[in-house]
Coordinates of all heavy atoms in Angstrom, one line a residue:
D48 N 237.7 -138.1 -4.0 CA 237.1 -138.1 -2.7 C 238.2 -137.9 -1.6 O 238.0 -137.1 -0.7 CB 236.3 -139.3 -2.4 CG 235.1 -139.6 -3.2 OD1 234.5 -138.6 -3.8 OD2 234.7 -140.7 -3.3
V51 N 239.8 -134.4 -1.5 CA 239.0 -133.4 -0.9 C 238.9 -133.6 0.6 O 239.2 -132.7 1.4 CB 237.5 -133.5 -1.5 CG1 236.6 -132.6 -0.7 CG2 237.6 -133.0 -3.0
L65 N 235.4 -123.6 -2.4 CA 235.4 -124.4 -3.6 C 236.5 -124.0 -4.6 O 237.2 -124.8 -5.2 CB 234.0 -124.3 -4.3 CG 233.9 -125.2 -5.6 CD1 233.4 -126.5 -5.2 CD2 233.0 -124.5 -6.6
W74 N 241.4 -128.8 -11.0 CA 240.1 -129.0 -11.6 C 239.5 -127.6 -11.9 O 239.8 -126.7 -11.2 CB 239.2 -129.8 -10.7 CG 239.5 -131.3 -10.7 CD1 240.6 -131.9 -11.1 CD2 238.6 -132.3 -10.1 NE1 240.5 -133.3 -10.9 CE2 239.3 -133.5 -10.3 CE3 237.4 -132.2 -9.5 CZ2 238.7 -134.7 -9.9 CZ3 236.8 -133.4 -9.1 CH2 237.5 -134.6 -9.3
R76 N 236.2 -125.2 -11.4 CA 235.2 -125.1 -10.3 C 234.0 -125.8 -10.6 O 233.4 -126.5 -9.8 CB 234.9 -123.6 -10.0 CG 236.1 -122.9 -9.3 CD 235.7 -121.6 -8.9 NE 235.8 -120.7 -10.0 CZ 235.6 -119.4 -10.0 NH1 235.3 -118.8 -8.9 NH2 235.8 -118.7 -11.1
S77 N 233.5 -125.9 -11.9 CA 232.3 -126.6 -12.2 C 232.5 -128.1 -12.1 O 231.6 -128.8 -11.6 CB 231.8 -126.2 -13.7 OG 232.8 -126.6 -14.6
R78 N 233.7 -128.6 -12.4 CA 233.9 -130.0 -12.3 C 233.9 -130.4 -10.8 O 233.3 -131.4 -10.4 CB 235.3 -130.4 -12.9 CG 235.6 -131.9 -12.8 CD 236.9 -132.2 -13.4 NE 237.2 -133.6 -13.2 CZ 238.4 -134.1 -13.5 NH1 239.4 -133.4 -14.0 NH2 238.6 -135.4 -13.3
L79 N 234.6 -129.6 -10.0 CA 234.6 -129.9 -8.5 C 233.2 -129.7 -7.9 O 232.8 -130.5 -7.1 CB 235.6 -129.0 -7.8 CG 235.7 -129.3 -6.3 CD1 236.0 -130.7 -6.0 CD2 236.7 -128.4 -5.6
S80 N 232.5 -128.7 -8.4 CA 231.1 -128.5 -7.9 C 230.2 -129.7 -8.1 O 229.5 -130.2 -7.2 CB 230.5 -127.3 -8.6 OG 229.2 -127.1 -8.1
R81 N 230.3 -130.3 -9.3 CA 229.6 -131.6 -9.6 C 230.0 -132.7 -8.7 O 229.2 -133.5 -8.2 CB 229.7 -131.9 -11.1 CG 228.9 -131.0 -12.0 CD 228.9 -131.5 -13.4 NE 230.2 -131.7 -14.0 CZ 230.9 -130.7 -14.6 NH1 230.5 -129.5 -14.7 NH2 232.1 -131.0 -15.2
H82 N 231.4 -132.8 -8.5 CA 231.9 -133.9 -7.6 C 231.4 -133.6 -6.2 O 231.1 -134.6 -5.5 CB 233.4 -134.0 -7.7 CG 234.0 -135.1 -7.0 ND1 233.9 -136.4 -7.6 CD2 234.5 -135.2 -5.8 CE1 234.5 -137.2 -6.7 NE2 234.8 -136.6 -5.6
A83 N 231.5 -132.4 -5.8 CA 231.1 -132.0 -4.4 C 229.6 -132.4 -4.2 O 229.2 -132.8 -3.1 CB 231.4 -130.6 -4.1
S84 N 228.8 -132.2 -5.2 CA 227.4 -132.6 -5.1 C 227.2 -134.0 -4.8 O 226.4 -134.4 -3.9 CB 226.6 -132.2 -6.4 OG 226.6 -130.8 -6.6
R85 N 228.0 -134.9 -5.4 CA 227.9 -136.3 -5.2 C 228.4 -136.6 -3.8 O 227.9 -137.5 -3.1 CB 228.7 -137.1 -6.2 CG 228.1 -137.0 -7.6 CD 228.8 -137.9 -8.6 NE 230.1 -137.5 -9.0 CZ 230.5 -136.6 -9.9 NH1 229.6 -136.0 -10.6 NH2 231.8 -136.4 -10.1
M86 N 229.5 -136.0 -3.4 CA 230.0 -136.2 -2.0 C 229.0 -135.7 -0.9 O 228.9 -136.3 0.1 CB 231.4 -135.5 -1.8 CG 232.5 -136.1 -2.6 SD 234.1 -135.2 -2.4 CE 234.5 -135.8 -0.7
E87 N 228.4 -134.6 -1.2 CA 227.4 -134.1 -0.3 C 226.2 -135.0 -0.2 O 225.7 -135.3 0.9 CB 226.9 -132.7 -0.8 CG 226.0 -132.0 0.2 CD 225.7 -130.5 -0.3 OE1 225.7 -130.3 -1.5 OE2 225.5 -129.7 0.6
A88 N 225.8 -135.6 -1.3 CA 224.7 -136.6 -1.3 C 225.0 -137.8 -0.4 O 224.1 -138.4 0.1 CB 224.3 -137.0 -2.7
R89 N 226.3 -138.1 -0.4 CA 226.8 -139.3 0.5 C 227.0 -138.9 1.9 O 227.4 -139.7 2.7 CB 228.0 -139.9 -0.2 CG 227.7 -140.5 -1.5 CD 228.9 -140.8 -2.4 NE 230.1 -141.4 -1.7 CZ 231.3 -141.2 -2.0 NH1 231.6 -140.4 -3.0 NH2 232.3 -141.8 -1.4
G90 N 226.8 -137.6 2.2 CA 227.0 -137.1 3.6 C 228.5 -136.9 4.0 O 228.7 -136.7 5.2
L91 N 229.4 -136.8 3.0 CA 230.8 -136.7 3.4 C 231.2 -135.2 3.6 O 232.1 -134.9 4.4 CB 231.7 -137.2 2.2 CG 231.5 -138.7 1.9 CD1 232.3 -139.1 0.7 CD2 231.9 -139.6 3.1
I92 N 230.5 -134.3 2.9 CA 230.8 -132.9 3.1 C 229.4 -132.2 3.0 O 228.4 -132.7 2.6 CB 231.7 -132.3 1.9 CG1 231.0 -132.4 0.6 CG2 233.1 -132.9 2.0 CD1 231.7 -131.7 -0.5
E93 N 229.5 -130.9 3.5 CA 228.3 -130.0 3.3 C 228.8 -128.8 2.6 O 230.0 -128.4 2.7 CB 227.8 -129.6 4.7 CG 227.2 -130.7 5.4 CD 226.7 -130.3 6.8 OE1 227.1 -129.2 7.3 OE2 226.0 -131.0 7.5
R94 N 227.9 -128.1 1.9 CA 228.3 -126.8 1.3 C 227.6 -125.7 2.2 O 226.6 -125.9 2.8 CB 227.7 -126.7 -0.1 CG 228.4 -127.6 -1.0 CD 227.9 -127.2 -2.4 NE 227.8 -128.4 -3.2 CZ 228.0 -128.3 -4.5 NH1 228.3 -127.2 -5.1 NH2 228.0 -129.4 -5.3
C104 N 231.1 -121.0 -2.8 CA 230.6 -121.7 -1.6 C 231.8 -122.3 -0.8 O 232.9 -122.4 -1.3 CB 229.7 -122.8 -2.0 SG 230.4 -124.2 -2.8
L105 N 231.5 -122.7 0.4 CA 232.5 -123.3 1.2 C 232.2 -124.8 1.2 O 231.1 -125.2 1.2 CB 232.4 -122.8 2.7 CG 232.7 -121.3 2.8 CD1 232.4 -120.9 4.3 CD2 234.1 -120.9 2.4
L106 N 233.3 -125.6 1.3 CA 233.1 -127.1 1.4 C 233.5 -127.4 2.9 O 234.6 -126.9 3.3 CB 234.1 -127.8 0.5 CG 233.9 -127.5 -1.0 CD1 234.9 -128.3 -1.8 CD2 232.5 -127.8 -1.5

Side-chain angles (χ1 to χ4, degrees):
D48 292 339
V51 170
L65 181 90
W74 284 16
R76 286 185 282 180
S77 63
R78 180 180 180 191
L79 180 57
S80 182
R81 289 189 301 276
H82 188 79
S84 293
R85 292 188 294 273
M86 292 181 73
E87 188 173 28
R89 292 164 46 211
L91 301 173
I92 64 170
E93 293 176 345
R94 292 189 212 213
C104 72
L105 300 175
L106 302 178

